[in-house]
Structures are given as C-alpha cells and as structure tokens.
Amino acid sequence: MSVIVRNEEGRLLLLSKGADSVMFERLAQDGREFEVQTRLHINEYADAGLRTLVLAYRELDEEEYNEFNEEFSQAKNLVSADREEIIEEVAERIEKDLILLGATAVEDKLQNGVPECIDKLAQAGIKLWVLTGDKMETAINIGFACSLLRQGMKQIIINSETPGIRALEKAGDKSAVDEAAKANVIQQISEGKALLNVASEDSEALALIIDGKSLIYALEDDVKDMFLELAIGCASVICCRSSPKQKALVTRLVKVKTGSTTLAIGDGANDVGMLQEADIGVGISGVEGMQAVMSSDIAIAQFRFLERLLLVHGHWCYRRISFMICYFFYKNIAFGFTLFFFEAYASFSGEAAYNDWYLSLYNVFFTSLPVIAMGVFDQDVAARFCLKFPLLYQEGVQNVLFSWTRILGWAFNGVLSSTLIFFFCACAMEHQAFRKGGEVVGMEIFGAVMYTCVVWVVNCQMALSINYFTLIQHVFIWGSIVFWYIFLLVYGAMDPNISTTAYQVFIEACAPALSFWLVTLFVTVATLLPYFSYAAIQMRFFPMYHQMIQWIRNDGHSEDPEYCQMVRQRSLRSTTVGYTARFSRSKLELPEQI
C-alpha cells in the first residue's frame, strides 16, 4: 500500500509499506543500504511469531506526479471488466525505485480458545486451510501455536526463494524469472506428491506450506490441478504471503474442483474476496474494521464462537431440515396413495374419496404445524454433547440423514402407511354394520374415517420421531388432531350446500358409532407398528452416532471415559490435526521410544 503526501517544505513523497517479498524487489539500486540487516531482523521477528512489514519511500517531482495523477484518475473512472488490473498497472509504474527505511514487527496474539476450536473442528471431519498474508516463518509459528502443525510432522514447503531465481531477479530478466519460477514450483509439487504417496502408505500426516510467489504459478490453469491434488492429500495447508485475490482464487479452486461446501472466516478488509467467494462467509467483528462483517453471511465476535456455530447449531439445523423434508415426502405420500388406492377400488370412476375441503386443508392445518415446530425446536442431543462429541458433525459431512437411502426409506414408509390405512379401513367397514340399526357406511363416512386415520397416523409418526419435546410441539401435534374433530363438527353443521358430503357426518354417523373409534385406534397402532419395530431394532443393533450418545446419556455413562472413547472410535475420519491428534500420535510413538 502506498500514499503520496506533500511535506511542509513542499516536497512530494511516496510512502510505501508491504510484505518483504513485494517490497525488496521494488527498491532502487542506491536504496538498498540496509537491506541485509533488515532481512536478518525480519527473519528474527518472524521466527518469534511477529507480523512484519517493510517501509520504503521515494521523492517525486511535480511532472511525474501530475502524469501519474491523470492516469490514475482515468483508470479509476473506467467501467470495464479489467478496471482493477489497469489501476494496479498504473500504481506499479510509480511504486518503484524506492529507498528502504526499515521494518516493523507487531505481536498479534491468537484469540482465546482458537487451538481448542480448531481441534474440535478437526475432530468433526472439517478440513482446515490457512490463507494468510504473514511471512512464512510467522505462519509456521502460528500453525504450531494452534496445533495445525506439530513436531515430527513432515512439511512440504514450496517457495521461490532459490539461488538461481534470485540471480535471475538481479539480472532483471523478468521472462526468465517467470519461466524458472514456474518450473521450480512444478518440480516441488511433483516431489511433494511423491512424498505424499509414501506417507499415505505409512499413515503419516503431511503439511503443505506455500508462499505467495509460488501460489501465482500454482494457480495457473496447467498447474492448479496438480497443486489441488497435493493439497487435498495433506492434513494441513498453509498459504502464506497471500494477496486478497489469491485467497479468493484458492477458495474458488477448492469449491469448484472438489464440489465441497466451503466456509471462509476472516476479520479484515483483505479477507472480503475470500468471504464472498466461499459458500458461507463468516466475518469476525473486531479492531480491524467492519468490512469483513459487512461482506459475510454470518457475523461472530470471536473465532472460538465458530465451534458452537458449526458443531451445535450446524448439526441441529442439518438434522432438522433433513428430517423435515423427508417427513413432508412421507406425509404427502401417505395421504396421496390412499386416494390412488380408492380410485383403483372404485374402478377409476372419478369418485372422490374425500370432501374438497379435506383435500385443501390437509397441508394447511392438520399436518403442517407439527413439522414446522420440529424444524425449529427439535434437538437429537443437547448442546454440551454436540461439543463433547464433535464426530456428530460427521453425519452432515457424510450426508447420512439426507441420502437417497434415507429419502426412499421415508417414501416406502409413506406407501406402507397408506396401504395399511386404506385396506384396514376398507376391510373393517365395507360389509359390517356401522351402527345399531344395521346401516353400512356410505362413501362420505368411509372417507371421513380414512381421513381421520391419516391425520392420526402422520401426527403420531411425528411424535415418535421427535427427540426433544417442548410445550409448543405437544400443542401443535395433539392440537392438529383435535382441530380436525372441531373442523368436522363446525363444517358438518353448515348448510348442505356448503358442507356437501360432510354434512352431519361426524355428529350423526361417526361419533355415535363405537366401530369408528375402534377402527381409528386399531389402524393407528397397526400402521405405526412397523416403523416402531424398525426404529427399536436399529437403535439396539445398528445405532447411529447421535443414538449412541443418547444411549450412554440415558444409561448415565456420559462422563465415563471408556464409553466416550468407544463412541469416538466410531469416527470414519481419523483426526490428523489439533492437539487431540498430537496427543494420540505421542501415545503411539512412546512405546517405540521405550
């Protein structure tokens, strides 16, 4: 970044600051007096984990400034797609021949809870990449501080600071520098892939660390697939000295090429492109301004709050939405197939099984509120267990609750429910006397009985599936059933021209008949019995993650380390970063050392 100022003496000064990798190449030959000492100081600061910047300046004459100001104003007023590139080109023409002033170092401590949060996210099966503008040594120290790196982990370091490239840079041959740097990056990526193949056979975790200059060539069209393949195979990826544009390009590469859902989190203006490129952008509000928050989808105050956002609310939200969609399929299939079976029963004569208002209000009043309440309030496990067992989040990563198997299973349950409802109702009421006088049912009574069974079954199915009952859910589930009977009373009491086939059906026909209540009870129990049996067997012999945690919670073993470890061993993804992985690795290496 640069600024042009006029001092008290009237002289025009260009003051610049930036990363050492960018600033040193912009220095004039007579402005490098303190370059060697500054490089040593910067390396010392970076080794100590400090964030470094290089400061430089140059004096401008009036003619040069006026020419630059005119070109810069024209570039800023452009409306073409390459506006930003043209602005950068104009700025680069004046940001040259600088005189080195020195370097600054600032301590930027990790926020509270960052290592613990990263460890939990790693256990949840989330792949973590660090895209930073810090110097490589600083980025590595931060990686160790937050347990993305650990002692003994092999590091694949890709950088362009080789003696050959430095010699070409001093010679000033830019095309030769680009060609040599690209070849060097490709060679290092190939060596890294070979090392990755060996490490995968030994189940050893690797870390990839790449600097901004190398990232320029790694993101080119003919290299980026190789780079992505290497990066995906590594446990940790740290891209240091990355520009805001590079952060956005890396995010886009991962999102497009892998098809994975990406989340970016940042707190500064240089993270805006990355936040907007990711599927989900999380901005941290803090001392670095509000640009990141204004450009993000979600705003949090500290990095550690990401743990609860994803592991608790993310898990609950995924489960609620998955079950809500599957349940909508179920309840509409259960209702719709009774119509299909009735049409087959009536030889496809076009006779309606239900009154028109029954059809209209099914998804409006009688079955909609319970599923909405479930989508807002349901919790399979409490928040503290979501944080204690991060592997619960892997149900979402592996899409366990919204797979085709799950969707088709609910659809089959809907077909089975409608089959049992229709044929039980038809067999129970087709020939037998419905009331004491010996009358058999008519079509309007048969439709009301079958509809009553559907309302009972789909609402009781919701009651069986909910894990966390609240007063609102009780009111919505049982209130929907009660409202159906109230509707029958009110609608059936209206003029026959309005109520048509529902006129006095409940008061005169259904309510006085004991068989109506017995059929409703029998059909509801018989229809829900297959699902109840399946759920009991699956819970007992093939429990899912959340069911195992429910099990140990109900048995009072939630604080037992042995039981907790048994649940954690069910994880399908081994944890390779975080302090949990570091401790696990230390335990494995301890017997070897003994």
Side-chain angles (χ1 to χ4, degrees), residues 202 222 229 253 440:
D202 299 334
D222 56 337
E229 184 181 351
L253 176 65
V440 295

PDB file of all heavy atoms in Angstrom, residues 202 222 229 253 440:
ATOM      1  N   ASP A 202       2.343 -45.171   4.962  1.00  0.00           N
ATOM      2  CA  ASP A 202       2.735 -45.244   6.379  1.00  0.00           C
ATOM      3  C   ASP A 202       1.712 -44.589   7.301  1.00  0.00           C
ATOM      4  O   ASP A 202       1.958 -44.488   8.510  1.00  0.00           O
ATOM      5  CB  ASP A 202       4.100 -44.562   6.569  1.00  0.00           C
ATOM      6  CG  ASP A 202       5.193 -45.234   5.756  1.00  0.00           C
ATOM      7  OD1 ASP A 202       5.039 -46.443   5.462  1.00  0.00           O
ATOM      8  OD2 ASP A 202       6.169 -44.550   5.406  1.00  0.00           O
ATOM      9  N   ASP A 222      -2.660 -24.810 -16.045  1.00  0.00           N
ATOM     10  CA  ASP A 222      -1.996 -26.088 -16.303  1.00  0.00           C
ATOM     11  C   ASP A 222      -1.321 -26.674 -15.061  1.00  0.00           C
ATOM     12  O   ASP A 222      -0.758 -27.767 -15.122  1.00  0.00           O
ATOM     13  CB  ASP A 222      -0.957 -25.929 -17.419  1.00  0.00           C
ATOM     14  CG  ASP A 222       0.059 -24.839 -17.113  1.00  0.00           C
ATOM     15  OD1 ASP A 222      -0.272 -23.938 -16.309  1.00  0.00           O
ATOM     16  OD2 ASP A 222       1.176 -24.869 -17.667  1.00  0.00           O
ATOM     17  N   GLU A 229      -4.491 -31.502  -6.002  1.00  0.00           N
ATOM     18  CA  GLU A 229      -4.356 -32.914  -5.630  1.00  0.00           C
ATOM     19  C   GLU A 229      -3.389 -33.089  -4.461  1.00  0.00           C
ATOM     20  O   GLU A 229      -3.639 -33.865  -3.531  1.00  0.00           O
ATOM     21  CB  GLU A 229      -3.877 -33.721  -6.842  1.00  0.00           C
ATOM     22  CG  GLU A 229      -3.789 -35.212  -6.583  1.00  0.00           C
ATOM     23  CD  GLU A 229      -3.285 -35.980  -7.788  1.00  0.00           C
ATOM     24  OE1 GLU A 229      -3.166 -35.371  -8.882  1.00  0.00           O
ATOM     25  OE2 GLU A 229      -3.003 -37.195  -7.654  1.00  0.00           O
ATOM     26  N   LEU A 253     -11.008 -22.382  -6.282  1.00  0.00           N
ATOM     27  CA  LEU A 253     -10.445 -23.635  -6.785  1.00  0.00           C
ATOM     28  C   LEU A 253     -10.977 -24.827  -5.996  1.00  0.00           C
ATOM     29  O   LEU A 253     -11.406 -25.835  -6.574  1.00  0.00           O
ATOM     30  CB  LEU A 253      -8.918 -23.576  -6.697  1.00  0.00           C
ATOM     31  CG  LEU A 253      -8.152 -24.835  -7.100  1.00  0.00           C
ATOM     32  CD1 LEU A 253      -8.355 -25.137  -8.584  1.00  0.00           C
ATOM     33  CD2 LEU A 253      -6.668 -24.695  -6.785  1.00  0.00           C
ATOM     34  N   VAL A 440     -74.858 -49.906   6.770  1.00  0.00           N
ATOM     35  CA  VAL A 440     -73.443 -49.957   6.375  1.00  0.00           C
ATOM     36  C   VAL A 440     -73.017 -48.547   5.994  1.00  0.00           C
ATOM     37  O   VAL A 440     -73.853 -47.665   5.774  1.00  0.00           O
ATOM     38  CB  VAL A 440     -73.218 -50.927   5.197  1.00  0.00           C
ATOM     39  CG1 VAL A 440     -73.520 -52.349   5.613  1.00  0.00           C
ATOM     40  CG2 VAL A 440     -74.058 -50.523   3.991  1.00  0.00           C
TER      41      VAL A 440
END
